[in-house]
Each structure stands twice: as C-alpha cells, then as structure tokens.
Amino acid sequence: MKPPRVAANADRTPRLRTLHRVSAFLLGVFLVVHIANHLAGLAGENVHLTYMTAARRVYRAPLVEATLLAMVAWQMTSGALLLRRRWRARKGMVATLQLASGAVLLGFLAIHVGAVLAGRMAGIDTDFRFAAAGFHTHAWWLFFAPYYTLAVIALTTHVGCALYWRLDGRVRNAVLTGCIAGGTVAGVLISLMLAGVLARVDIPSSYGAFFGALFR
C-alpha cells in the first residue's frame, strides 16, 4: 500500500527545511554586507559609493554572482514550498511570524532582484541612487517606503524566529524582540535615507526615467 500523500510531504519537509537553512546562512553573509552597504549611506552618499565599490569586487565576480543568484532562486523556491506545506499546520504566534515574514521576503526578492537585473540590462548602475529613485518618481514613494521598511523588518524577524526555536526561556523571547526592534529601526532609517529626509539625494535623470517607464 502506498503511504498517504500528506505523510510523504511531512517526511520531506525536514530535509527541505534543512537545505533552506543552509542556503539562508550562506546568503545571509551577502545580506549583511548588502544592508551594511545601505546603512553606510547614513554617513553620506560618497561613503556608500566607496563601500559599494569595494564590496562589488567580491560579490560581482562572475562565479560569486552566479552562485548568489542560484541561492536566491533556491531560497525563493524552497521558501514557497515550505510556506505552502506549513501554513495551515502552524501553531502559535512565532510560527505565524516566521511564515508571514518569509512570505514578505519571497515577494520582496521577486520584485527587487527583477528590478536590479532590469536596471543593469538597461545600462543603469544599480547603486544607492537607483534604490532611491523610486522615492523620487511621482507618488511611488507610497509603495517604496513600506516596501523597503517591511523587507528589512521581515528579514530580521525571520532570522529571529529561526533563532527562537534553538534557544530556551526568556533568552529566546529577548532575541526575537531584539531582532524585530532592530529591523524596525534599520528599515525606517534606510527608507528615510533613500527618501532624502536625512540628507540630500541627487538622482540622475536616467534613473528617474527608468522608474517612470517601469511603473507607467
């Protein structure tokens, strides 16, 4: 007799979750560098560009970049499968936060990676000004402000939930709360910076034209 389909899915989920975590750890190294890149902009646009130029020598090396894109694709695929299999079976607030933050990250990665690749194909340097251009194109800041803020919060929340299951007692609650709070502060600061609230941001006309055409 063949085993029930649900049992087969349940048997595969631990292996899928393990592979998801391994790729998340490796991808997380890049994400730390990437978020630090954005936060460097708090010290000024020139500081951001200097930091980014140095970091790009590593993560834009052909082999490294291809590996990163492959891991992003796997992270999105495995995350979507885990979300579909585990959403109805979730129990408790932390499980809900983990899956909901994963869903937000899934949507963000699909949009963000697609936009960056489209910008590069159009010959645009996808730097700090590229990220900021959406805030300065008509009323699209209404989309980009929550888009960037929620993405950072979702990332730190997802990491916090993963750590929560490996810790005990009050420590795990403190770690999860700290991750959410830290992500909220970082997300708001990055959005304010990109919007030009904290410092002036000069957007080349080509960047604005790209976003204007993209969201027309």
Side-chain angles (χ1 to χ4, degrees), residues 29-183:
V29 176
F30 167 74
L31 291 176
V32 169
V33 174
H34 191 61
I35 292 176
N37 190 10
H38 280 293
L39 291 175
L42 293 172
E45 187 174 317
N46 290 333
V47 175
H48 159 78
L49 293 174
T50 300
Y51 180 103
M52 184 188 65
T53 299
R56 277 182 174 179
R57 294 193 184 100
V58 177
Y59 71 74
R60 282 206 174 178
L63 181 59
V64 176
E65 186 170 47
T67 302
L68 283 172
L69 289 173
M71 285 195 296
V72 168
W74 164 249
Q75 201 67 16
M76 292 173 64
T77 302
S78 58
L81 289 172
L82 287 169
L83 183 63
R84 181 176 65 84
R85 292 178 184 178
R86 300 180 66 192
W87 181 255
R88 291 185 179 180
R90 73 192 188 282
K91 294 180 180 179
M93 180 59 72
V94 176
T96 299
L97 279 174
Q98 188 170 22
L99 292 171
S101 60
V104 172
L105 288 173
L106 183 62
F108 175 81
L109 285 172
I111 296 172
H112 193 65
V113 174
V116 168
L117 292 178
R120 289 177 62 178
M121 290 177 64
I124 294 176
D125 188 2
T126 53
D127 58 10
F128 172 87
R129 295 164 299 178
F130 177 81
F135 283 83
H136 302 269
T137 304
H138 305 301
W140 279 103
W141 68 270
L142 294 171
F143 167 79
F144 282 101
Y147 167 78
Y148 278 107
T149 303
L150 289 176
V152 178
I153 295 173
L155 175 61
T156 58
T157 298
H158 206 62
V159 171
C161 289
L163 294 173
Y164 176 90
W165 303 118
R166 284 169 165 68
L167 300 172
D168 297 315
R170 295 179 179 178
V171 174
R172 63 183 188 177
N173 291 320
V175 167
L176 178 55
T177 301
C179 286
I180 295 173

Side-chain angles (χ1 to χ4, degrees), residues 45 128-134 136-137 194 201-208:
E45 187 174 317
F128 172 87
R129 295 164 299 178
F130 177 81
H136 302 269
T137 304
L194 294 174
V201 180
D202 295 313
I203 308 295
S205 59
S206 59
Y207 289 56

